Amino acid sequence: MPQFFLNKRLIILLVSIIILVALIGFSLSGRSKLTWPEQFIKDTTGWVQTAVSRPTHYIVGFFGNLKDLQNTYTENKELKSRLDELARLESELQMVKKDNTELREILDKKDALSAFEPKQATVIGRNPDKWTELLIINKGTNNGIVNNMPVITANGLIGKVKNSNPFTSTVQLLSSMDPTNRISAEIQSENESVFGFIEGYDNEKGLLMMKRIPSDVKVEKDQTVISSGKGGVFPKGLLIGKVVEVVPAEYGLTQTAYVEPGAKFHDIEHVMVVKRSSIQPELQDMIDDQEEEL
Amino acid sequence: MRKFLLPPLIVLFFIMESLFVEFVPPTVFAGNYILVPHFLISVILLLTIYGPKNYGVLYGFLFGLIFDIVYTEIIGIYLLLFPLVAYICYRLMKILQNNMIIAVLISIVGIALLELGAYEMNVLINRTNMSFTIFSADRLLPTLIMNFAFIVIVVYPLKKHFEKLVLSLDS
């Protein structure tokens, strides 16, 4: 009965395509939490990954150290020349810091948008299919990590926590294309800061795109871009990068700035997950307040 | 004994993919090429060709599911593509004669199918805006060359291993 088998195969194919569409739709539906079997599998593989990646990191690190040793002489020379400048800067920073705390005390202002506590984490895996750029780190909800927290390296912002499981979490890098990946950012300038959103990444140029900058402001090259802290989850002042180029956007109503990211998006080993310490008012409280006023 | 060694072996290649992208910088070769390691599917395809019947499709399904949950977080893409590619290669090997060069070429064809399928699906769900010409020049071709090198290295030891596995299951 070859006809029957052909039909059977066709039915299997059709049913599996229906299941596939349902599953993809389910995973893209913007769910805030993974189901428990997924969390369990992720944590289990995370444990195996840690066991394998620790020794690998160690070996790769050893060869990296050997390479560093060769450059030590020239680096040392250059660093020494910058040391004097550093001492001056440090004393200045001390003064400014002291000033700042005193002024804050006078104003009775306790928390700032820029206050945060970093949590150390190690990268144990990365998505090999390079369509979505995801990292797996070895800290999870048991260490106080929740979704949407920003993730930084020493050189700047790299992404945010996409999903957190009890022992591991996934970090979505800024370079991955996702329409929901949007960060409120600020271009620092002498007079007045310029605000916009980091939305999207230009793969060919390797630059981030900062969109929705008003068309009447002038943005210059080499200005620093930081997170603005207006979005609610991200604290203020996390370094994102430097402006490379400014072009008018599609309809000429806004401008788009190309930003060179401060942090590298590959070869990441240690990251910090940032917990914003300034208190965020609950939405419900704000609504209640308004009612009282009325 | 060999039967129980198979899952850890495949898990090893599963983790190797992630370690590869973690440590090999994208600029390791000149140009803007995207190199995607497909070690896991290579091993699954060799298992389909040389291993016991249906093992390839079964492991493709299982590791496709784990791959989607752990790495891509979009369940369905590799869950379908891994067993499908394994099944196509299984059918192709039935038609063609079984020698090592043919096996390597069939595995490369399988990886190309996988890449194309994953590209089409990612375009469909709007996760990429890469055009097909850029995809084929910057991603597909370098990826196939790199995985060809990988398969050439592992094909002989894995062939020996899987053939012994078939024998141990028969006896």
Side-chain angles (χ1 to χ4, degrees), chain A:
Chain A
M1 292 191 295
Q3 192 65 43
F4 172 72
F5 280 112
L6 204 70
N7 280 342
K8 193 180 148 198
R9 231 177 266 153
L10 201 70
I11 288 168
I12 290 178
L13 192 69
L14 281 178
V15 168
S16 50
I17 286 175
I18 292 169
I19 293 173
L20 166 88
V21 171
L23 275 175
I24 291 181
F26 172 68
S27 9
L28 288 177
S29 60
R31 55 207 170 127
S32 58
K33 213 170 162 247
L34 296 176
T35 51
W36 72 263
E38 283 175 89
Q39 295 200 346
F40 176 74
I41 290 175
K42 285 192 102 127
D43 279 347
T44 320
T45 44
W47 185 79
V48 180
Q49 277 173 327
T50 316
V52 177
S53 73
R54 277 276 161 78
T56 327
H57 272 292
Y58 186 76
I59 294 163
V60 173
F62 177 73
F63 284 109
N65 285 345
L66 280 185
K67 217 173 154 190
D68 282 349
L69 270 178
Q70 293 177 330
N71 304 332
T72 314
Y73 181 72
T74 43
E75 259 174 25
N76 194 23
K77 239 180 179 176
E78 199 186 314
L79 288 176
K80 260 185 191 159
S81 66
R82 280 162 68 175
L83 209 60
D84 301 332
E85 200 189 320
L86 194 73
R88 189 182 57 79
L89 265 177
E90 201 170 353
S91 65
E92 205 177 298
L93 182 73
Q94 282 294 336
M95 223 163 65
V96 172
K97 250 190 181 166
K98 209 177 142 206
D99 259 14
N100 194 355
T101 41
E102 273 171 12
L103 288 171
R104 264 176 201 285
E105 261 167 34
I106 293 169
L107 282 173
D108 201 21
K109 190 171 182 308
K110 283 193 187 74
D111 52 347
L113 286 177
S114 55
F116 67 81
E117 316 161 13
K119 279 186 198 338
Q120 293 285 343
T122 309
V123 176
I124 55 171
R126 186 171 183 154
N127 182 9
D129 125 291
K130 294 192 176 171
W131 295 116
T132 40
E133 297 274 28
L134 298 173
L135 294 180
I136 305 167
I137 57 172
N138 68 345
K139 295 276 162 72
T141 45
N142 282 7
N143 305 89
I145 287 171
V146 292
N147 289 0
N148 288 325
M149 276 183 173
V151 180
I152 57 173
T153 63
N155 298 321
L157 188 71
I158 57 165
K160 64 173 184 182
V161 175
K162 193 180 179 215
N163 281 309
S164 50
N165 314 308
F167 301 102
T168 57
S169 327
T170 36
V171 175
Q172 185 175 41
L173 294 185
L174 289 176
S175 55
S176 66
M177 186 180 151
D178 184 355
T180 58
N181 211 356
R182 185 183 302 163
I183 292 151
S184 170
E186 172 181 345
I187 300 175
Q188 287 181 313
S189 68
E190 302 264 310
N191 337 319
E192 207 173 317
S193 290
V194 180
F195 292 94
F197 290 99
I198 296 283
E199 273 183 22
Y201 180 73
D202 192 316
N203 248 322
E204 278 166 60
K205 291 180 186 163
L207 301 173
L208 292 166
M209 286 184 280
M210 183 169 171
K211 293 182 178 170
R212 298 171 204 224
I213 303 166
S215 59
D216 52 344
V217 293
K218 187 141 171 45
V219 179
E220 275 157 40
K221 211 182 146 189
D222 280 342
Q223 282 180 325
T224 314
V225 181
I226 58 169
S227 64
S228 72
K230 304 264 191 284
V233 194
F234 282 42
K236 190 183 172 174
L238 299 180
L239 179 75
I240 296 173
K242 274 197 159 61
V243 176
V244 175
E245 191 190 350
V246 187
V247 290
E250 240 174 285
Y251 303 110
L253 295 172
T254 56
Q255 301 181 78
T256 299
Y258 284 95
V259 178
E260 191 185 359
K264 289 181 295 177
F265 292 135
H266 56 84
D267 206 4
I268 305 161
E269 193 181 337
H270 298 289
V271 296
M272 276 175 276
V273 183
V274 168
K275 193 185 170 212
R276 178 165 152 153
S277 22
S278 76
I279 306 148
Q280 185 68 21
E282 294 283 324
L283 195 65
Q284 203 56 44
D285 294 348
M286 291 197 271
I287 294 167
D288 285 351
D289 281 352
Q290 224 165 22
E291 276 173 4
E292 274 166 31
E293 273 170 32
L294 288 168

Side-chain angles (χ1 to χ4, degrees), chain A residues 9 20 23-24 27-28 38 42 45 48-49 57 125-131 134 163 170 204 266, chain B residues 15 17-18 21-23 26 32 35-36 69-73 75-76 78-79 87 119 122 127 134 139:
Chain A
R9 231 177 266 153
L20 166 88
L23 275 175
I24 291 181
S27 9
L28 288 177
E38 283 175 89
K42 285 192 102 127
T45 44
V48 180
Q49 277 173 327
H57 272 292
R126 186 171 183 154
N127 182 9
D129 125 291
K130 294 192 176 171
W131 295 116
L134 298 173
N163 281 309
T170 36
E204 278 166 60
H266 56 84
Chain B
I15 292 171
E17 281 193 359
S18 139
V21 286
E22 213 180 307
F23 289 118
N32 235 341
L35 293 171
V36 186
I69 289 176
V70 174
Y71 290 141
T72 63
E73 298 205 333
I75 306 164
Y78 289 97
L79 176 65
Y87 183 73
Y119 169 72
N122 275 295
R127 283 290 152 129
I134 293 178
R139 180 170 163 136

